[in-house]
Amino acid sequence: MRRALWRYAAVVLFILAALVTRPYYYADSLEYAQCIIAQEDGQSPPMFFESSHLLWRPLGWVVHSALLPVLRNQFGLERFAQVNLSLILISLILSLTGIIYLYRLLRLLPISEVSVQVTTLIYAVSQCVMNYGMTGTSYMSGISILIAGLYYVFDSARRLSVGLSLWAAGVLLAIAPLLWMPYILALPAAILVYPTVNGWNRKNLVESLRLTMVVALVALAILVPFVVHLHLTPAGFVQWALDPGDKHYMAGPLRTVFGLPKTLFYLGNDGLYVKRFLYHDPYHPVSALMLFGLGLWKMGLFYSLLLVIFVVILRDLTARKYLVFLLVGIIPNLILSFRWDGAALERHLPLMPFLFIALALGFAYGSTTFVRPLIGAVGLVVLVLNVSAMWPSVSAEAEARGTAHIREIWPRLNDHSIVTVLNIQDELVVFQRIHPLNPYNQSHRLCPYPVLGSVDDSSRYWRERFEHAKREAWMEHGGVWVKKSLLASAPDVDDYWIENERPGISWKNISNYFRQQYYSDSTDTFLLLQPDQP
């Protein structure tokens, strides 16, 4: 028993962390559950077979159907909560599986048991695992399957034999991108394990080719039924497969620079402070010294760690053997993140296995006087930051604030009402993302309307879009509520607003517009827009 606990100490740590924390961000869990419910009701929602997460909603549907008697009769849960918990259960089980397989994968490398344990422990409390491992999203399920696939590739490469290991690897590597499409970026590195690790000879190239064929065959076998069911032509398949669902392509290397550390650390609103510094926000100025104290030190620690690990791998002959493999796994993902919202944590998940393999090599072959203490310090910071950010009281306080605001207008909302807020970072929008099981999120009645979308969209037309949205709401006999903060002379310090970030749009533009509107009623937080304005 002691040996098992020591071997899988990271599993124990993750379970303990899961018991004392709550996710701070549920991402698209709300939409997944709503889509599954719509499918069960026979509505055939188009997003049920969305290509970016092809297998996730059908998998959740199957698991929910299997668990329905227990969830409904034993726990008496509402339907929305049933579906959410079904998705969370899948994610939890597969996240634990991923930790186990990362441990097994690292043990195949020429490194010490201590190096394996330290790396796996840090992985278990990293932000991506702690947050997404307890939500109804497919991210951790996909990465766990990817890690398991890498294990079987390395296992067959180590034993210089293929057989079942190759088929297991092929099946798992084919499934991972069907849970989160960007995991396809990790496949070239996985397929090239044989030549990059064992040498560029004919035998290893043949094994890579065989693995490629298995991955392709399995992927084809899974995709064909979906193609037939959706009646996709070749052109239609290409359009369906390449449609990510998210139309806002916020790009740029700076977003990647600030997004990559999120794989380990909780950064909170660090991005907001950096933008206020870069754009010289006159409402809430941030100095360089303040910026460092507010969280820039975490980024410095992260990139110092990457630099040290790279130098260690480059200098050590044994570790250098894995350098090409690591670069092939990391570089394609970085290129994508430059072009597709690199600030988002999930954009960097495909490189996670390679990052932690590099971390293990760095710990194993780095000096005991500098490198190992640095990695140990990073692990401690990761644990403290992430547990603190996900401590239940933090989430409970935010939920209580959101609940109090919604309660003010809830009886007067219907399915066609809109609640106008500043942007997608507003607490009401975030409320739906971080509290999917809250009673107010169990229906479509709460519909926050962000005046401004992403920075890269046509935000200069925000007035026209809002005018259209309010008239549509009134036509369906819905009310149009406006958050009072939109009329303030200056944004609040907690508002996600950066003056000068959006060309042609200032806070005065927004506040003056909403001040000129006519309102018929109000609460502590909201104003009700009068339908018939003179």
Side-chain angles (χ1 to χ4, degrees):
M1 183 66 177
R2 286 183 179 179
R3 181 177 296 180
L5 288 175
W6 163 248
R7 176 171 292 183
Y8 296 115
V11 171
V12 177
L13 180 61
F14 175 76
I15 293 174
L16 291 174
L19 291 174
V20 300
T21 59
R22 288 175 60 179
Y24 72 91
Y25 182 60
Y26 281 76
D28 294 329
S29 297
L30 187 75
E31 285 83 352
Y32 297 144
Q34 290 173 342
C35 190
I36 291 171
I37 290 174
Q39 179 70 18
E40 291 177 342
D41 290 341
Q43 298 176 20
S44 300
M47 291 299 288
F48 190 75
F49 297 112
E50 176 235 348
S51 60
S52 294
H53 308 273
L54 179 60
L55 295 181
W56 188 240
R57 295 174 182 85
L59 179 61
W61 179 37
V62 170
V63 172
H64 174 238
S65 300
L67 296 179
L68 185 58
V70 176
L71 295 172
R72 182 176 57 193
N73 300 331
Q74 297 299 320
F75 294 96
L77 296 174
E78 295 293 333
R79 191 177 180 194
F80 185 84
Q82 295 170 15
V83 177
N84 252 294
L85 287 177
S86 299
L87 293 171
I88 290 171
L89 183 62
I90 300 170
S91 187
L92 272 171
I93 292 174
L94 287 177
S95 295
L96 288 168
T97 303
I99 294 171
I100 293 171
Y101 268 102
L102 179 65
Y103 172 81
R104 298 181 68 187
L105 169 60
L106 295 179
R107 290 196 74 194
L108 298 179
L109 305 179
I111 59 177
S112 65
E113 179 69 15
V114 174
S115 304
V116 172
Q117 289 288 358
V118 169
T119 304
T120 314
L121 285 168
I122 295 175
Y123 174 81
V125 293
S126 63
Q127 182 180 199
C128 60
V129 179
M130 280 190 61
N131 185 74
Y132 284 140
M134 297 186 287
T135 68
T137 60
S138 65
Y139 301 123
M140 286 313 304
S141 298
I143 200 173
S144 297
I145 289 174
L146 176 61
I147 290 171
L150 281 169
Y151 164 77
Y152 285 109
V153 177
F154 270 88
D155 184 54
S156 62
R158 177 182 62 91
R159 292 185 294 147
L160 301 178
S161 61
V162 286
L164 290 177
S165 290
L166 182 138
W167 276 97
V171 170
L172 292 167
L173 294 177
I175 290 174
L178 300 180
L179 289 170
W180 174 225
M181 180 67 77
Y183 288 140
I184 198 171
L185 298 173
L187 297 192
I191 289 169
L192 291 174
V193 163
Y194 301 103
T196 56
V197 175
N198 288 345
W200 293 86
N201 55 49
R202 184 176 181 276
K203 182 181 184 303
N204 290 324
L205 291 172
V206 169
E207 300 306 336
S208 289
L209 180 60
R210 288 180 180 175
L211 179 58
T212 303
M213 294 175 64
V214 173
V215 172
L217 286 173
V218 173
L220 190 64
I222 297 173
L223 285 171
V224 164
F226 288 99
V227 171
V228 172
H229 176 75
L230 297 172
H231 307 289
L232 295 176
T233 63
F237 173 79
V238 172
Q239 183 180 1
W240 168 78
L242 297 180
D243 182 5
D246 181 0
K247 303 299 184 184
H248 304 304
Y249 295 90
M250 294 179 285
L254 190 61
R255 299 186 67 82
T256 298
V257 169
F258 287 98
L260 191 56
K262 293 179 182 178
T263 52
L264 290 184
F265 303 130
Y266 173 78
L267 297 182
N269 281 331
D270 290 3
L272 171 63
Y273 304 133
V274 170
K275 288 181 180 179
R276 285 176 175 170
F277 171 76
L278 294 176
Y279 287 99
H280 307 288
D281 188 345
Y283 292 109
H284 304 291
V286 176
S287 67
L289 184 60
M290 289 173 59
L291 191 62
F292 182 82
L294 288 168
L296 204 59
W297 64 270
K298 289 177 277 189
M299 294 186 57
L301 183 61
F302 177 81
Y303 285 107
S304 296
L305 176 67
L306 289 190
L307 178 61
V308 168
I309 290 173
F310 178 74
V311 171
V312 169
I313 293 175
L314 199 61
R315 293 180 62 180
D316 188 273
L317 186 61
T318 305
R320 198 189 310 156
K321 173 183 176 183
Y322 297 90
L323 184 59
V324 174
F325 162 73
L326 294 173
L327 292 176
V328 173
I330 292 173
I331 290 175
N333 184 249
L334 291 179
I335 294 173
L336 177 69
S337 72
F338 289 162
R339 300 179 59 84
W340 186 29
D341 194 10
L345 167 61
E346 55 267 26
R347 301 294 184 264
H348 303 287
L349 294 183
L351 59 75
M352 288 294 288
F354 310 101
L355 176 63
F356 280 92
I357 289 173
L359 182 65
L361 293 169
F363 188 91
Y365 297 103
S367 67
T368 56
T369 57
F370 176 69
V371 177
R372 292 186 182 183
L374 173 63
I375 294 176
V378 169
L380 183 61
V381 171
V382 167
L383 175 63
V384 172
L385 282 178
N386 294 340
V387 171
S388 299
M390 301 180 207
W391 200 250
S393 61
V394 177
S395 178
E397 289 174 7
E399 185 173 12
R401 288 194 303 271
T403 299
H405 292 327
I406 297 168
R407 189 182 295 121
E408 297 176 18
I409 56 175
W410 184 257
R412 302 176 65 179
L413 296 178
N414 60 34
D415 288 349
H416 303 290
S417 301
I418 61 174
V419 183
T420 311
V421 296
L422 176 61
N423 51 33
I424 59 175
Q425 287 85 14
D426 184 86
E427 60 182 353
L428 282 186
V429 180
V430 175
F431 182 86
Q432 294 184 316
R433 300 289 183 181
I434 63 177
H435 307 294
L437 300 182
N438 186 281
Y440 288 132
N441 286 325
Q442 306 304 302
S443 73
H444 297 283
R445 195 190 300 185
L446 177 62
C447 182
Y449 175 86
V451 173
L452 301 176
S454 65
V455 176
D456 290 353
D457 73 356
S458 301
S459 54
R460 62 183 180 276
Y461 300 116
W462 64 270
R463 292 183 187 84
E464 292 83 350
R465 290 204 302 268
F466 176 69
E467 291 287 340
H468 177 73
K470 72 180 184 182
R471 296 192 190 287
E472 278 197 334
W474 288 335
M475 287 177 61
E476 298 293 338
H477 307 289
V480 179
W481 294 87
V482 176
K483 201 170 183 182
K484 284 183 176 180
S485 59
L486 292 174
L487 285 70
S489 58
D492 189 81
V493 67
D494 294 326
D495 288 332
Y496 204 98
W497 174 261
I498 305 96
E499 190 75 3
N500 305 320
E501 182 187 24
R502 299 169 184 264
I505 304 177
S506 68
W507 180 261
K508 287 183 178 180
N509 296 148
I510 296 171
S511 62
N512 287 341
Y513 171 82
F514 283 103
R515 286 179 186 179
Q516 294 168 6
Q517 305 301 304
Y518 293 85
Y519 302 96
S520 59
D521 202 352
S522 68
T523 67
D524 290 341
T525 312
F526 303 97
L527 295 164
L528 180 62
L529 204 62
Q530 182 176 312
D532 299 317
Q533 300 183 18

